[in-house]
């Protein structure tokens, strides 16, 4: 097989056809731009806008709190308006809000613009998940796995670009990175407009054996889904542990060198790129996704025990234990992402898919808002607090396993022995 043929075969394996591939390109460009800006946001407010440390912290806290509403709002809009148009609107709103930061140094206005930008930013993952569910149908988990891989590649490219720009030491670099991110929003909006509107949700979800029947059409009245979402907020904590806790823990509690922190983040990215797609096949159905909650709990235990052990000895033990912790928590991240993609869609009725996924998006938004405070509290309590957090996460996984049991358990077999006929047999 020559290179061109191999490339074409690889593209053909992406669910969703041409529109699916185009949306993957959108994700790469989007996260490349975000990678340019995300790492220097706080520095921009400090060195360019002239805000104090307390003001920067308050601004980012307020923006994060307002952003929580972005996910359910986007889900509701996606049920009422063409999904492609909603995605484009969110992309353009992000660009306008970001560009507005260049117009002022006023703290209140900067906070307002940051909050307005946080709404569509938090909505982005929900809208892409909804697009994947509609365009890829039963292959939605594989599509999301490929999409997440491309996201990590984009983050890496953007991060390297930001590091190169900031290495110049010029304050103008921050403005250049901001404008660079804005330009990526214009590019992805143009690409998204070229995507066709995906099929109606009822057609897409009906191809799956996991389609819920007779469910409430409002997620706010669905107690099972609300309980599921609450447990999701806890299980998403692996993100904050890896991104926030591990670097701080290295500095304040272990004998490991400070330079280990970025290397561990690179390790996390490489593992996600290598294993997200291959492992996605273990969560292709709701029953399989529910089963993943068992190994997920074990990985949380290993990861938190390793973090505790990293503070118990010298440099070698610290480096080894931290590497084990990051590997375990990264695989927890991969497995939970796979399970979460399938379950959040499978538990939603077709006619309210957007609203349900919007409410599910509250779990990740809430974790991003409250997670840093929780993990810093754990670190302040000392090494023994890490295993206690691990036990709490096991409890969250067990609660979710039980809560969704009736929704994902296959129905009892009919008394008459009638052979099952699948769509592919017609």
């Amino acid at each position: 097989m020559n290179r061109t043929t191999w490339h074409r075969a690889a593209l053909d394996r992406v669910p969703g056809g041409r529109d699916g591939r185009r949306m993957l390109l959108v994700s790469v460009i989007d996260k490349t731009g975000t990678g340019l800006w995300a790492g220097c946001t706080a520095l921009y407010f400090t060195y360019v806008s002239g805000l104090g440390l307390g003001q920067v912290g308050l601004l980012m806290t307020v923006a994060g709190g307002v952003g929580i509403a972005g996910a359910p709002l986007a889900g509701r809009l996606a049920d009422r308006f063409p999904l492609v148009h909603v995605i484009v609107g969110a992309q353009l709103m992000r660009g306008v809000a970001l560009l507005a930061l260049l117009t002022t140094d006023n703290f209140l206005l900067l906070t307002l613009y940051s909050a307005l930008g946080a709404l569509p930013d938090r909505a982005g993952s929900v809208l892409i998940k909804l697009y994947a569910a509609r365009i890829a149908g039963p292959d939605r988990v594989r599509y999301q796995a490929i999409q997440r891989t491309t996201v990590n590649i984009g983050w890496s490219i953007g991060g390297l670009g930001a590091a190169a720009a900031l290495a110049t030491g010029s304050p103008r670099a921050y403005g250049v990175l901001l404008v660079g991110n804005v330009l990526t929003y214009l590019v992805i909006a143009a690409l998204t407009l070229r995507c066709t509107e995906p099929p109606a949700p009822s057609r897409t979800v009906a191809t799956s054996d996991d389609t819920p029947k007779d469910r409430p059409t409002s997620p706010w009245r669905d107690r099972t889904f609300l309980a599921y979402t609450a447990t999701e907020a806890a299980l998403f904590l692996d993100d904050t542990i890896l991104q926030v806790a591990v670097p701080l823990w290295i500095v304040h509690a272990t004998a490991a060198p400070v330079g280990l922190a970025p290397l561990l983040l690179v390790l996390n990215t490489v593992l996600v790129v290598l294993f997200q797609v291959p492992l996605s096949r273990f969560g292709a159905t709701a029953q399989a996704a529910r089963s993943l909650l068992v190994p997920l709990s074990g990985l949380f235990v290993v990861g938190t025990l390793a973090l505790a052990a990293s503070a118990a000895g010298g440099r070698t033990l610290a480096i080894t234990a931290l590497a084990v912790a990051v590997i375990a928590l990264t695989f927890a991240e991969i497995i939970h992402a796979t399970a979460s993609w399938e379950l959040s869609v499978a538990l939603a009725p077709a006619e309210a898919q957007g609203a349900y996924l919007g409410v599910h998006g509250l779990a990740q938004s809430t974790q991003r808002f409250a997670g840093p405070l929780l993990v810093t509290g754990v670190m302040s309590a000392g090494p023994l607090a890490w295993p206690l957090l691990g036990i709490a996460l096991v409890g969250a996984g067990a609660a979710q396993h039980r809560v969704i049991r009736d929704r994902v358990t296959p129905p009892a077999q009919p008394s008459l022995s009638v052979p099952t006929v699948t769509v592919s047999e017609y």
Side-chain angles (χ1 to χ4, degrees):
M1 181 181 293
N2 59 42
R3 185 174 181 178
T4 302
T5 305
W6 178 88
H7 181 67
R8 173 54 56 186
L11 290 177
D12 290 340
R13 294 185 62 190
V14 176
R18 178 179 297 178
D19 289 323
R21 296 192 294 269
R22 185 172 288 142
M23 195 57 74
L24 290 180
L25 177 61
V26 167
S27 294
V28 172
I29 298 173
D30 182 8
K31 295 309 176 183
T32 299
T34 304
L36 287 173
W37 172 244
C40 67
T41 304
L43 297 177
Y44 174 87
F45 291 129
T46 301
Y47 295 117
V48 178
S49 301
L51 301 184
L53 180 61
Q55 289 178 308
V56 173
L58 179 59
L59 181 153
M60 300 187 78
T61 299
V62 171
V66 173
I68 292 176
L73 178 61
R76 181 65 66 180
L77 290 173
D79 280 337
R80 298 185 178 183
F81 301 99
L83 178 57
V84 169
H85 293 172
V86 176
I87 295 175
V88 170
Q91 293 163 342
L92 293 177
M93 183 176 175
R94 290 164 72 189
V96 170
L98 190 59
L99 195 61
L101 297 179
L102 292 174
T103 66
T104 183
D105 292 335
N106 181 272
F107 170 69
L108 293 179
L109 287 177
L110 289 172
T111 302
L112 173 63
Y113 297 149
S114 298
L116 291 176
L119 282 169
D121 183 66
R122 295 294 183 267
S125 61
V126 172
L127 294 174
I128 293 300
K129 180 189 293 184
L130 189 56
Y131 189 88
R134 294 182 181 180
I135 201 71
D139 293 326
R140 56 189 177 237
V141 173
R142 177 175 172 79
Y143 183 87
Q144 281 283 75
I146 297 172
Q147 191 268 344
R148 191 162 187 264
T149 301
T150 62
V151 162
N152 277 271
I153 294 172
W155 269 108
S156 300
I157 296 172
L160 291 174
L166 295 180
T168 65
S170 171
R172 295 182 59 185
Y174 298 102
V176 170
L177 293 174
L178 186 154
V179 173
N181 193 13
V182 171
L183 291 176
T184 63
Y185 291 140
L186 296 178
V187 172
I188 62 177
L191 286 173
T192 303
L193 282 173
R194 297 182 62 189
C195 295
T196 57
E197 183 68 18
S202 58
R203 295 180 183 178
T204 300
V205 179
T207 60
S208 171
D209 292 335
D210 302 317
T211 305
K213 303 295 191 297
D214 300 324
R215 301 290 185 242
T217 56
S218 170
W220 301 108
R221 297 180 189 148
D222 191 335
R223 295 182 179 179
T224 297
F225 194 83
L226 290 176
Y228 162 72
T229 300
T231 58
E232 284 282 87
L235 297 181
F236 273 119
L237 198 63
D238 57 74
D239 180 63
T240 299
I241 296 175
L242 287 166
Q243 301 293 330
V244 178
V246 169
L248 292 176
W249 188 248
I250 289 173
V251 173
H252 295 287
T254 76
V258 177
L260 181 65
L263 294 179
L264 291 177
L265 292 179
V266 171
L267 174 62
N268 167 259
T269 300
V270 170
L271 290 175
V272 170
V273 170
L274 290 177
F275 291 102
Q276 187 71 74
V277 174
L279 293 180
S280 67
R281 69 180 185 273
F282 295 107
T285 66
Q287 292 88 353
R290 178 174 178 255
S291 299
L292 289 177
L293 295 173
V294 176
L296 174 63
S297 297
L299 288 167
F300 275 131
V301 170
V302 172
T304 52
L305 284 174
L307 284 174
S310 67
R315 183 186 181 100
T316 301
L317 175 61
I319 293 174
T320 303
L322 286 166
V324 170
V326 168
I327 291 172
L329 292 170
T330 298
F331 277 100
E333 176 187 358
I334 292 170
I335 288 176
H336 176 241
T338 299
S340 180
W341 293 332
E342 175 60 23
L343 291 173
S344 60
V345 176
L347 294 174
E351 64 274 16
Q353 199 177 68
Y356 268 70
L357 291 183
V359 169
H360 179 261
L362 286 172
Q364 194 165 20
S365 297
T366 301
Q367 183 276 138
R368 288 178 179 174
F369 177 67
L373 181 62
L374 175 60
V375 297
T376 51
V378 170
M379 288 188 287
S380 299
L384 293 180
W386 283 117
L388 295 179
L389 178 62
I391 293 173
L393 293 174
V394 170
Q400 183 175 125
H401 194 272
R402 181 175 179 81
V403 162
I404 64 176
R405 176 183 55 188
D406 294 336
R407 291 283 186 93
V408 302
T409 301
Q413 294 295 324
S415 56
L416 295 177
S417 179
V418 180
T420 302
V421 179
T422 63
V423 175
S424 62
E425 291 178 290
Y426 282 102

